[in-house]
Structures are given as C-alpha cells and as structure tokens.
Amino acid sequence: QESSSASPLFSTKGGSWNFVIGLVGKPSAGKSTVFNVATAFARQRDGQGYGASMAPHPFTTIDPNVGFCFVPAPCGSCPEEDVPDANRLNIGSTHGRDSRGRRLLPVMLKDVAGLVPGAYQGRGKGNKFLDDLTDADVLIHVVDASGRSDSEGNIIGRGTVNDPMDDLAWVRNELLQWIVTNLSMKWDGISRKGRNKLVDMFSGYKQQQRMVWDVILNVEKFMYEHEKRERPLDNLDKWDAADLRRLVSAFLGTRFPISLALNKSDIPSAEQFVTKIKKALPVHGAHAGISLCARQEMLFVRQFMPNVSHTDTPTDIHLKKPEGVWDTLNSAISLRGPILVFPVSNLNTYEPLPGLNDNAARDASLPNAGMVDCLRESGGTIPSLWNETLREYNVKHSDGVKCALRDVVVMKQGSTVEDVFLHLKNIRALSGEFVRAEGAGNIGEKGKPVSKFERIGKHNRILKIMTNKRKAWQ
C-alpha cells in the first residue's frame, strides 16, 4: 500500500554517541545499589564520593543520580576478540577490562526515583521522573525478583509474594501512559496538522526522525493489512485511544528497549520467578534478563573505596565480583548496538594517536583508584595509562602510551569516516583538515583507503586518519 504523501527521506544522523543508560523500577528494588556497583560510588554527596543513597525503604532516591559506569563492550564489537593470540600485540584499553576480558566502555548511567503505579498521573514522586528518562538510550529495569515487596516497594508479610512479572507489566504501562498522556493532550492539533506533526511530537523524545518514520509507517501498514483501513495516517481525526496506544507501544519498543536486572536472586523465593521471566522473554518490552545480587556485588566493590564507610559490612555475607551488574550493562548496550571505532596512528602496530594520550590519562570518565583496585582483584585488567607506583594516570611513566588499539570511540549507527574525524578534531586529538584515511576491520588485515563519506562498520573500524596539519607535540 502506498500512502498519499510519501515520507521524507531521512538519513541516519551519525556522530559520536554520548550513550546514556537509565535505571527504572519500583522503590527499594535496588536501583541505587546497582548504580553504586556500576559507577564505583561515583555520585558526589556533601563533596565526597559516597555514592547514591541506599536504604531499605521507598524513595531513597529523590533527585536523579548520574555518573559514568563501566560497560563491557558488546560481543563482536572489538577487533581483539577475533584473534586468538592478540595478546602478543599488547592490546590496551583506556578504562580496563572486566574479569572476562571484555573491554570496558565509559557510559553515562542515570538512576531516577522509584516508579509506582499511577506515576504518570502524579502518584508517588510524579511523572517528573519519567521526564528524567528522556535522554536515556536504553533502560535497565531493576526488578525485585524475590517477590517480597509490593508494587510501592513495601516489604510484604511472610507467606505472601508479589509476582515480579506484574511489576514488569505495570512499569511498562507507566512508560506507555506517560507518552500517551502527553500526546493525548495535544491530539487535536496533531490530527489537524497530520503525520508530519505526529513525527515531530515523537522526535521530542530524542529519537531520530528516520526511526520515527519507520515505526509510524509500519503501524500504518499493519492497520491496512489487518484492519483494511486506507491511509490511516491521513485520517488521524478518526483514531481512537486504542490506535494511539498501539502506535506508542511500537515506538517504545524502538525508543526504549529494556534489559532486566533480576535483583535479589540469592533469596530462595526468587528462583521460580527468575525462571518464569527468562522463559517468557521477550515480554513487556524487555529483551534480556540477568540474575544478580546487587548487594553482594556492592559490598565487594565498596571494600576498595577509601571514602566510603565500611562499618556496616556484615561478616556473614558472601561477597561477589560485580559480574552480574557488568553482564546487565552489557546486555543493555547490546540492545542498541553502537559502532566502536579504534583510531590509530599506525595500521601495522596499531599504536594510539598521540593526541589521545591526554584524553586517556585525564578524562573525567576514567575509573577512580578504588575501581582500578576492584578491577585487579576481580581478575580484570587495569587501564593502560594507570601507574601503580604513582597511583595515578600518567602519560610519561606508563607502558600504555604505545600499546595497540588502546582507544575506542563510541559512534552512532550510520556514522561516517568524516564523523569520526570531526569528533577527534573536537576533542583535539587531531588538527587541520581531513586529507585521507585508511581503514581495516581486523588485526593483521591490510589497511585500505576509505572515503570520508564511507559509513563506519566492522569492516573499517580500525581507522587511521591523516590531516594537513600536525600538532607540534605529535
């Protein structure tokens, strides 16, 4: 079926991706605990790095907690994964590697206040906290998998349980109703102005217009094929509430894919619910689920944080490496699939760009000293420019200055070689104007010339860019 007015042809807008993961869930599910594990207690309170507030009662979090977390790169996104003896090259990493050898990427993590049923109508802390999620690229729904708390985070009596599957349903409904309500209040104007206005409204949720058009046209196709409705996007005034909910539901699946952190899985009652949820996936907008006990992992991480009190650490609890949280973060970023680019100065040795040394030693996202110790003790690898003797990142006294494939840039789908160049120029890793570039997909592969208009992908992710100007210190 052809619509009466063809949609504009929108190209994917590329560029560097300041990826954001949002934490959602009901109060007391463990969002702030997950946040503290993931960020190494990055939240600053009273001028100190004590992390996000954690307490066994609802609404511990009021204002959003925001900090850099460390996310294992999606499987297959790094060249070293495809080479069995890659270690002979002394492969580096700016932020270290986890206990499974996965390269860690710095990603912004946002922990918002707990949701309760009816939040979109103002219940609990209201829909302001839904608005706080607008800049998130993916969501992690932290679930109390034990079933021992009600929908508002209150502990329920022995002998009764709350099915966590119900929490998945109403949290998804809150997100849906949040957008439906916003659109419904403006529907008269939207229906008068037509499909372009509808696309503009959805683009307000920080989604590229091309993606919005894909969703809307797919819904129109469904309505035609299953309901025999001719050109429904040209007759928005005839839509009912069910039509709008269906469109918003389709949009949510694209805009806010969800991964589940099945927290408190160490509690015996959680086993049945974890099994039930994992068998049901995908369900209620969630595509992946990871079992974990955030408290055990938090206590492991916390022991390495010098500014965090350890006086309440129980002596009878088993501490766990933060692998559950790392796996959850990995599952979340994999839902959107950013493109990882590895800028180098030499396509034979894969040595870093000298202009990136400062970034690899002073960037605000780098793991703090405690997290470096945590990585080491958990069996991971510390950042390349960390000097253990000096207990700091140091360019002059570090072997990481020459290590291979140290640096990585997170790019949006559809990015071009020119987008990478502009990003590197923006952070002052390169200067001058673009002259030419060479790219390769894998270690040992001969570099080939690439146009600045060529899209970045797995085939040219190792990139050497040459300009007409060199910095004096290069």
Side-chain angles (χ1 to χ4, degrees):
Q1 174 219 7
E2 295 183 0
S3 60
S4 59
S5 57
S7 64
L9 295 176
F10 292 101
S11 61
T12 302
K13 185 178 181 181
S16 62
W17 198 344
N18 297 318
F19 207 94
V20 178
I21 297 176
L23 294 178
V24 299
K26 68 185 181 183
S28 300
K31 297 190 311 303
S32 295
T33 306
V34 170
F35 176 87
N36 283 335
V37 176
T39 63
F41 291 80
R43 172 65 186 261
Q44 298 294 312
R45 291 189 288 118
D46 302 323
Q48 300 293 326
Y50 294 144
S53 297
M54 300 175 292
H57 56 73
F59 299 118
T60 305
T61 301
I62 303 299
D63 297 321
N65 298 307
V66 181
F68 282 106
C69 66
F70 310 104
V71 182
C75 180
S77 62
C78 299
E80 63 266 27
E81 297 177 52
D82 300 325
V83 181
D85 59 345
N87 287 336
R88 64 182 173 80
L89 290 173
N90 186 26
I91 303 291
S93 56
T94 55
H95 290 71
R97 298 176 184 273
D98 72 357
S99 55
R100 298 191 179 107
R102 296 176 294 187
R103 183 187 294 263
L104 295 176
L105 308 174
V107 170
M108 191 63 71
L109 185 66
K110 179 179 281 191
D111 165 33
V112 302
L115 294 174
V116 298
Y120 75 95
Q121 296 174 317
R123 286 199 69 236
K125 298 302 175 182
N127 58 15
K128 171 187 179 297
F129 301 102
L130 289 166
D131 292 337
D132 287 334
L133 295 172
T134 302
D135 59 351
D137 294 293
V138 296
L139 301 179
I140 292 176
H141 180 182
V142 182
V143 180
D144 179 355
S146 72
R148 300 201 307 179
S149 59
D150 63 21
S151 61
E152 299 191 5
N154 302 301
I155 301 300
I156 56 181
R158 291 184 178 275
T160 59
V161 293
N162 172 61
D163 189 340
M165 187 71 81
D166 295 337
D167 294 337
L168 269 61
W170 69 254
V171 167
R172 164 76 171 184
N173 186 61
E174 286 300 314
L175 296 171
L176 188 146
Q177 292 290 1
W178 164 49
I179 298 178
V180 166
T181 300
N182 290 343
L183 293 176
S184 295
M185 291 189 297
K186 303 172 182 176
W187 191 251
D188 287 345
I190 295 172
S191 60
R192 283 197 309 270
K193 295 181 180 179
R195 63 176 68 200
N196 288 337
K197 179 62 175 178
L198 183 61
V199 169
D200 288 342
M201 293 300 299
F202 278 111
S203 299
Y205 294 94
K206 298 187 178 180
Q207 180 66 296
Q208 295 177 12
Q209 284 195 333
R210 185 188 66 85
M211 302 292 287
V212 177
W213 275 111
D214 286 345
V215 170
I216 288 178
L217 293 178
N218 279 329
V219 170
E220 182 179 53
K221 180 180 179 182
F222 176 90
M223 296 169 77
Y224 174 76
E225 293 179 348
H226 294 269
E227 300 174 357
K228 304 305 178 185
R229 294 167 64 174
E230 294 278 356
R231 299 184 174 88
L233 288 177
D234 294 331
N235 299 283
L236 295 177
D237 57 322
K238 297 180 181 179
W239 280 36
D240 58 22
D243 293 328
L244 182 57
R245 283 179 60 91
R246 174 167 49 196
L247 177 59
V248 172
S249 181
F251 173 75
L252 271 178
T254 299
R255 178 61 187 86
F256 293 113
I258 298 173
S259 180
L260 303 175
L262 301 173
N263 193 25
K264 307 183 184 181
S265 293
D266 58 311
I267 298 174
S269 60
E271 182 177 0
Q272 60 174 319
F273 297 124
V274 169
T275 300
K276 177 182 178 180
I277 291 171
K278 287 187 175 181
K279 283 185 177 180
L281 290 170
V283 61
H284 299 306
H287 299 269
I290 305 295
S291 306
L292 71 153
C293 176
R295 184 165 182 261
Q296 293 176 344
E297 298 186 16
M298 178 274 294
L299 293 172
F300 180 92
V301 173
R302 191 174 70 172
Q303 65 183 321
F304 302 104
M305 303 299 141
N307 293 331
V308 181
S309 173
H310 303 164
T311 57
D312 62 340
T313 301
T315 58
D316 60 344
I317 190 170
H318 176 62
L319 306 188
K320 285 187 175 181
K321 302 174 186 179
E323 293 175 336
V325 169
W326 283 335
D327 286 346
T328 302
L329 294 168
N330 171 265
S331 71
I333 196 172
S334 297
L335 293 176
R336 290 300 293 268
I339 302 296
L340 302 190
V341 180
F342 301 83
V344 298
S345 62
N346 187 304
L347 277 172
N348 293 316
T349 63
Y350 308 110
E351 289 182 14
L353 282 173
L356 283 171
N357 285 336
D358 188 68
N359 185 70
R362 295 179 177 83
D363 193 79
S365 67
L366 290 167
N368 57 32
M371 189 60 190
V372 171
D373 292 337
C374 177
L375 286 174
R376 182 190 300 105
E377 293 303 314
S378 66
T381 304
I382 66 174
S384 295
L385 289 187
W386 178 260
N387 184 294
E388 185 57 34
T389 302
L390 300 175
R391 298 289 292 170
E392 65 179 22
Y393 293 93
N394 193 291
V395 175
K396 293 183 179 180
H397 302 92
S398 173
D399 295 332
V401 174
K402 297 291 186 180
C403 62
L405 299 174
R406 184 192 66 196
D407 305 293
V408 60
V409 178
V410 180
M411 303 294 293
K412 297 176 182 177
Q413 293 278 354
S415 295
T416 64
V417 172
E418 184 176 36
D419 290 324
V420 178
F421 162 70
L422 292 174
H423 170 71
L424 294 174
K425 188 173 180 179
N426 184 56
I427 63 174
R428 300 182 179 181
L430 291 174
S431 61
E433 298 304 319
F434 181 95
V435 174
R436 62 189 181 92
E438 296 177 356
N442 298 301
I443 294 172
E445 183 179 305
K446 185 177 180 180
K448 299 178 181 179
V450 292
S451 162
K452 68 177 182 179
F453 304 113
E454 184 174 324
R455 287 196 175 189
I456 292 292
K458 192 172 181 179
H459 66 289
N460 58 7
R461 58 188 170 180
I462 306 174
L463 199 61
K464 177 184 178 182
I465 297 177
M466 287 147 277
T467 71
N468 62 1
K469 184 177 180 181
R470 293 172 62 86
K471 289 182 177 289
W473 39 264
Q474 282 188 290

